[in-house]
Amino acid sequence: MVALLAIVPVERHVRDSPSALALGAPPIEYVTQVAPGLQLDGRQVQNIYPYSRTGKLLHDVLLYDDTGRPLTLGLGPDPWRRVVRAVGDRTIANAFPIRYFEEKRGRRQVAHPDASPRVHVPTIVTPPLTP
């Protein structure tokens, strides 16, 4: 019985070794799946909060990647999300920070437009790009 238990790991090692490939054993395939949206340290980013060099939270900032594609978070549709639109009623998905409506006295409104996580915005001493 002990010999049988020892054969299983040896068989797996032999089957998956390079010499096993020469004998016609199927190769091992690794599949990498890329999650949609923006990831940071393995966690999907839910929002982005842009600040000016003076520490002011900015609204409806349009962000693009290094190839000019709109930066989106890959979040699904949400009926409570405030949708930013361009002329012609085209939806803009790369405007940050994302804001959500709340129901208040029968009206949908963004109750706290300046809400953001607590951050310490450093004082920037580098001169601005333009005077």
Side-chain angles (χ1 to χ4, degrees):
M1 182 66 143
V2 174
L4 182 61
L5 293 175
I7 291 173
V8 173
V10 171
E11 183 273 332
R12 283 194 179 141
H13 174 73
V14 170
R15 184 186 66 213
D16 296 340
S17 69
S19 60
L21 295 176
L23 297 174
I28 298 173
E29 293 183 33
Y30 296 95
V31 177
T32 303
Q33 290 184 332
V34 178
L38 183 63
Q39 304 278 322
L40 179 63
D41 296 332
R43 185 184 74 78
Q44 183 174 15
V45 174
Q46 299 292 311
N47 211 340
I48 296 173
Y49 297 89
Y51 286 84
S52 72
R53 65 181 291 114
T54 61
K56 180 182 178 201
L57 178 65
L58 303 175
H59 296 277
D60 298 337
V61 174
L62 305 181
L63 298 179
Y64 296 86
D65 73 5
D66 57 324
T67 64
R69 294 179 302 178
L71 185 68
T72 62
L73 300 182
L75 305 174
D78 185 335
W80 292 97
R81 180 177 175 172
R82 175 181 168 261
V83 178
V84 178
R85 299 189 184 280
V87 175
D89 207 35
R90 183 175 56 94
T91 300
I92 298 176
N94 64 323
F96 297 98
I98 297 171
R99 292 297 178 216
Y100 293 90
F101 291 116
E102 295 179 11
E103 189 79 35
K104 206 169 193 178
R105 293 185 213 121
R107 289 185 53 212
R108 285 172 43 125
Q109 64 184 35
V110 175
H112 306 284
D114 288 323
S116 69
R118 283 186 172 235
V119 295
H120 172 72
V121 179
T123 302
I124 296 177
V125 295
T126 306
L129 294 173
T130 57

